[in-house]
């Protein structure tokens, strides 16, 4: 292989990694002109499209603080957008004193109420191109929450609660797979992280050996992420690949508490309480590359005056969203963009190859 082809080939491989560099640009998504006590949170990202909440309203951003769209429909209060895929967003809001699962298509007016007949409380936490995953409580669930899967309408719902379990919830979805938790005889009467394939009976118990309980929050490709509690009830960020035996503890050295909340199939994001420097114990937003020692502390890229950060979602391009606290402990939604960006790297790689070819 010539040097020119090698340079191009190496950069193309490098571009398959969602995190394109070890540095990030942190963008404060908190809209200006709000009350000093108003809080904002970003929960999911897909390119420049980001969803979350500003104050008590579900919100859609397009990459910066001034681009936000209020998704709160008339007749609903305390709305929140938890997931985004393509042109759709999903979450929940309160109507008639109960939670209603909601699906939007870019505007408040476009909403679809996903609460099935007989359900008093439902929420959506994740969505794919055609399906939505969450939980619901109704007459058919015996007064406890069940993991629910929808296909875009209220009457399309599928109850994912495993037989005999007295509670469950679905928090993430990718393709035809869902992740969440359940508790009951099927899980040894303890709360265990679960992986489903579209039906209640398809569940796989992800609880790692030696851990007393667990939850799964995110999924992409063959990876699932969440937390597991040890015998001392300390929380450990975990990554799985389809079964309990594949579980890996992501808790970094010098951290005593950690969460993994999202994955793009290669990297994992979340947060941990501990220290990356002597004497600096605090909450750090983290991005991992599959192991406890392979992580980046996202707090170091925050704007001056911000700390106590949480990372909630990462997309295929390596963009990460979450939130951080300002000097008054008010949460601001944040976007971390990897530097350099993919297009910059590709142009650099091609340029280097062309220069070498001309010198040859």
């Amino acid at each position: 292989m010539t040097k020119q082809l090698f340079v191009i080939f190496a950069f193309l491989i490098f571009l398959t990694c969602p995190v394109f560099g070890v540095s990030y640009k942190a963008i404060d998504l908190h809209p200006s002109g709000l009350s000093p006590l108003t809080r904002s949170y970003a929960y999911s990202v897909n390119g420049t499209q980001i969803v979350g909440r500003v104050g008590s309203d579900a919100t859609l951003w397009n990459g910066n603080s001034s681009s936000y769209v209020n998704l709160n429909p008339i007749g609903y209060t305390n709305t929140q957008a938890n997931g985004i895929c393509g042109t759709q967003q999903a979450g929940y809001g309160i109507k008639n004193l109960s939670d209603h699962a909601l699906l939007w298509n870019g505007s408040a007016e476009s909403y679809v109420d996903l609460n099935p007949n007989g359900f008093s409380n439902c929420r959506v936490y994740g969505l794919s191109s055609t399906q939505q995953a969450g939980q619901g409580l109704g007459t058919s669930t015996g007064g406890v929450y069940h993991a629910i899967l929808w296909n875009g309408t209220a009457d399309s719902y599928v109850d994912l609660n495993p037989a005999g379990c007295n509670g469950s919830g679905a928090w993430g979805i990718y393709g035809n797979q869902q992740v969440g938790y359940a508790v009951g005889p099927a899980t040894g009467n303890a709360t265990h992280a679960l992986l489903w394939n579209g039906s209640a009976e398809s569940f796989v118990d992800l609880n790692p050996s030696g851990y007393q309980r667990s939850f799964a929050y995110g999924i992409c490709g063959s990876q699932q992420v969440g937390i597991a509690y040890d015998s001392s009830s300390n929380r450990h960020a975990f990554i799985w690949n389809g079964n309990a035996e594949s579980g890996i503890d992501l808790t970094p050295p010098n951290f005593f508490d950690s969460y993994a909340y999202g994955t793009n199939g290669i990297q994992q994001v979340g947060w941990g309480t501990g220290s990356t420097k002597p004497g600096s114990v605090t909450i750090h937003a983290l991005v991992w590359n599959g192991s406890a020692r392979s992580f980046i502390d996202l707090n170091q890229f925050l704007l001056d005056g911000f700390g106590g950060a949480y990372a909630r979602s990462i997309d295929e391009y390596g963009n990460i969203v979450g939130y951080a606290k300002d000097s008054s402990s008010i949460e601001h939604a944040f976007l971390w963009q990897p530097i350099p960006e993919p297009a910059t790297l590709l142009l650099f790689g091609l340029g280097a190859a062309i220069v070498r070819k001309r010198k040859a």
Side-chain angles (χ1 to χ4, degrees), residues 154-171:
D155 59 5
S156 67
Y157 83 95
V158 175
D159 190 332
L160 294 178
N161 194 69
C165 282
N166 55 8
S168 58
W171 291 79

Side-chain angles (χ1 to χ4, degrees), residues 25 27-29 42-52 59-69 84-89 313-321 333-338 341-342:
K25 177 183 179 181
I27 299 173
D28 186 352
L29 297 174
Y43 295 129
S44 188
V45 59
N46 182 21
T48 60
Q49 298 280 295
I50 301 153
V51 294
T59 303
L60 170 66
W61 289 271
N62 190 23
N64 57 64
S65 61
S66 62
S67 66
Y68 75 101
V69 175
I84 184 168
C85 184
T87 62
Q88 292 190 319
Q89 309 82 39
S313 175
I314 181 171
D315 69 10
E316 62 181 312
Y317 308 106
N319 297 304
I320 300 168
V321 295
F334 262 89
L335 164 66
W336 287 271
Q337 288 182 329
E341 295 181 355

Side-chain angles (χ1 to χ4, degrees), residues 274-291:
S275 175
T276 56
K277 297 179 181 178
S280 63
V281 175
T282 187
I283 297 175
H284 299 258
L286 302 173
V287 53
W288 290 272
N289 191 31
S291 70

Side-chain angles (χ1 to χ4, degrees), residues 29-350:
L29 297 174
H30 196 73
S32 61
L34 301 176
S35 162
L37 298 179
T38 301
R39 291 168 162 81
S40 62
Y41 306 85
Y43 295 129
S44 188
V45 59
N46 182 21
T48 60
Q49 298 280 295
I50 301 153
V51 294
R53 188 178 86 225
V54 174
S56 59
D57 297 327
T59 303
L60 170 66
W61 289 271
N62 190 23
N64 57 64
S65 61
S66 62
S67 66
Y68 75 101
V69 175
N70 189 325
L71 295 177
N72 196 85
I74 295 174
Y76 294 79
T77 61
N78 295 314
T79 54
Q80 178 171 302
N82 293 317
I84 184 168
C85 184
T87 62
Q88 292 190 319
Q89 309 82 39
Y92 66 92
I94 296 177
K95 183 179 182 181
N96 298 327
L97 302 180
S98 67
D99 291 338
H100 284 242
L102 297 174
L103 177 66
W104 294 275
N105 195 12
S107 67
E109 299 76 23
S110 66
Y111 81 94
V112 176
D113 191 322
L114 295 177
N115 271 36
N117 289 332
F119 279 74
S120 57
N121 284 281
C122 292
R123 293 184 176 188
V124 176
Y125 291 109
L127 77 160
S128 64
S129 58
T130 59
Q131 295 183 318
Q132 305 80 44
Q135 62 183 30
L137 182 152
T139 55
S140 64
T141 69
V144 297
Y145 280 99
H146 281 196
I148 300 293
L149 177 66
W150 291 270
N151 282 273
T153 63
D155 59 5
S156 67
Y157 83 95
V158 175
D159 190 332
L160 294 178
N161 194 69
C165 282
N166 55 8
S168 58
W171 291 79
I173 184 170
Y174 181 82
N176 193 45
Q177 292 192 311
Q178 307 81 37
V179 292
Y181 74 95
V183 57
T187 60
N189 293 314
T191 302
H192 283 188
L194 295 189
L195 169 66
W196 291 273
N197 280 274
S199 65
E201 60 273 13
S202 67
F203 78 92
V204 176
D205 191 332
L206 297 177
N207 195 73
S209 177
Y211 291 80
Q212 57 180 330
R213 64 186 189 275
S214 54
F215 297 84
Y217 296 117
I219 179 173
C220 184
S222 63
Q223 286 189 358
Q224 306 86 41
V225 295
I227 61 171
Y229 289 76
D230 64 22
S231 58
S232 299
S233 294
N234 295 315
R235 291 171 294 197
H236 294 251
F238 253 83
I239 176 176
W240 296 273
N241 278 277
N243 54 59
E245 294 74 22
S246 66
I248 298 173
D249 188 341
L250 294 177
T251 306
N254 301 319
F255 280 71
F256 57 86
D257 182 80
S258 62
Y259 261 80
Y261 220 93
T263 176
N264 58 14
I266 300 175
Q267 268 76 28
Q268 308 80 39
V269 296
W271 61 89
T273 303
S275 175
T276 56
K277 297 179 181 178
S280 63
V281 175
T282 187
I283 297 175
H284 299 258
L286 302 173
V287 53
W288 290 272
N289 191 31
S291 70
R293 293 185 176 274
S294 178
F295 74 95
I296 296 173
D297 179 6
L298 295 173
N299 282 29
Q300 65 183 303
F301 307 109
L302 291 171
L303 306 178
D304 290 342
F306 285 90
Y310 302 75
R312 291 288 298 261
S313 175
I314 181 171
D315 69 10
E316 62 181 312
Y317 308 106
N319 297 304
I320 300 168
V321 295
Y323 48 93
K325 295 181 180 180
D326 66 14
S327 57
S328 299
S329 293
I330 300 298
E331 290 87 354
H332 285 213
F334 262 89
L335 164 66
W336 287 271
Q337 288 182 329
I339 298 173
E341 295 181 355
T344 304
L345 281 175
L346 181 58
L347 289 175
F348 178 80
L350 292 176

